[in-house]
Amino acid sequence: MLRVRPFAACAAVLLAAGLAACDSAPGLPAEGVRPAVTAFAVSPARDSLATDAPVARIPLTVDATIAGDGRVAVRVLVRYAEASRRASVDSLVADTLVQAEPGALRLTLPLVLPRGATGDYAVALTTAGADGRTGGGASGTFRFRAASLGPPAVSGVTAPTSVARTPPGSAPFQISALVSDPDGLANVATVVLTDEAGGVIVELYDEGRTGRSRDDAAAGDGRYTVTIGIPPDFATGSYTLAVVAIDRAGTQSPPAPFTFEVR
């Protein structure tokens, strides 16, 4: 039977790896234990603002048990889960990063929430080991409620009094309206344009020129805007439409009507 001497076997390995000597071959560093989260809780799970204060100040507490090897970077982020769909809106409400030893950990994040920003808030905890590798995480939900101070209101509707059909394309028709809410603009869920029967035609936006309505002048100023097109085959005559605001509780403003003529 052919027997391979240890030196010959080592030489073969060295040639394949392009190394100079068996006893000088570098080894891979030992991997540390990735951190993990074995317990997680958010307190309070819900809170309500019963006064007419414009903001709520809530000390949100996160309790967790961290397992790992050495110090662990722990980060907690709180995001408004019901924020606007616009990419330009940052839903981040609170963010904290600490270095902690394995074991029980308690963090308190002071939330300052507009009374109108009711709904669910996502609470996420992430970990990273001393070597920078990502570890385990955990998540929970905090729910905020506030007593309603009344329905939203629509005023200052601006729209052309007449529009001419211009074949072959559609004639642009811009509508804007000033919206307010006693609970703050954060409480306004949607603003819509309705027909005479109350059916929704389209939504108005207060997102600035980079939002879904490019004709809106400034984001967050309470003036909602939309531009619709009047097609060339649209019947001529007088029409009445209305703008309606709806808050997060589903309460609607009185319709703010306006009349225009298609000629």
Side-chain angles (χ1 to χ4, degrees):
M1 176 182 295
L2 181 64
R3 302 182 65 183
V4 178
R5 291 188 299 171
F7 178 82
C10 180
V13 172
L14 291 176
L15 289 174
L19 300 177
C22 280
D23 57 2
S24 62
L28 294 176
E31 290 189 352
V33 177
R34 289 181 185 248
V37 181
T38 59
F40 179 80
V42 176
S43 178
R46 62 179 61 219
D47 202 343
S48 298
L49 180 62
T51 70
D52 60 355
V55 299
R57 302 181 185 276
I58 303 165
L60 189 71
T61 300
V62 174
D63 287 293
T65 301
I66 310 298
D69 185 9
R71 293 180 69 81
V72 178
V74 180
R75 188 177 188 184
V76 178
L77 301 98
V78 182
R79 293 188 181 276
Y80 189 26
E82 300 185 25
S84 170
R85 295 185 296 267
R86 286 187 297 133
S88 60
V89 170
D90 188 359
S91 62
L92 185 64
V93 174
D95 180 6
T96 188
L97 175 65
V98 299
Q99 298 290 328
E101 296 292 340
L105 175 67
R106 168 168 287 189
L107 297 173
T108 299
L109 295 85
L111 303 185
V112 181
L113 307 179
R115 68 172 302 114
T118 58
D120 290 345
Y121 289 75
V123 184
L125 183 149
T126 63
T127 62
D131 57 3
R133 294 192 305 158
T134 301
S139 61
T141 301
F142 165 71
R143 179 163 294 178
F144 174 60
R145 294 288 183 264
S148 175
L149 299 181
V154 178
S155 62
V157 177
T158 302
T161 56
S162 66
V163 59
R165 301 175 304 174
T166 54
S170 297
F173 189 81
Q174 182 177 309
I175 306 107
S176 67
L178 188 62
V179 177
S180 61
D181 192 297
D183 295 301
L185 284 177
N187 192 46
V188 177
T190 186
V191 178
V192 295
L193 181 67
T194 65
D195 58 23
E196 293 181 86
V200 174
I201 299 173
V202 70
E203 189 173 356
L204 287 74
Y205 301 101
D206 180 18
E207 300 176 347
R209 300 193 185 280
T210 60
R212 285 168 286 182
S213 177
R214 301 298 176 88
D215 295 317
D216 185 57
D221 63 354
R223 181 160 289 279
Y224 288 71
T225 307
V226 71
T227 299
I228 61 176
I230 305 297
D233 58 349
F234 201 87
T236 58
S238 180
Y239 294 88
T240 298
L241 302 178
V243 178
V244 176
I246 305 170
D247 67 15
R248 295 192 176 278
T251 307
Q252 298 186 13
S253 69
F258 64 95
T259 301
F260 66 99
E261 181 184 3
V262 176
R263 64 183 195 279

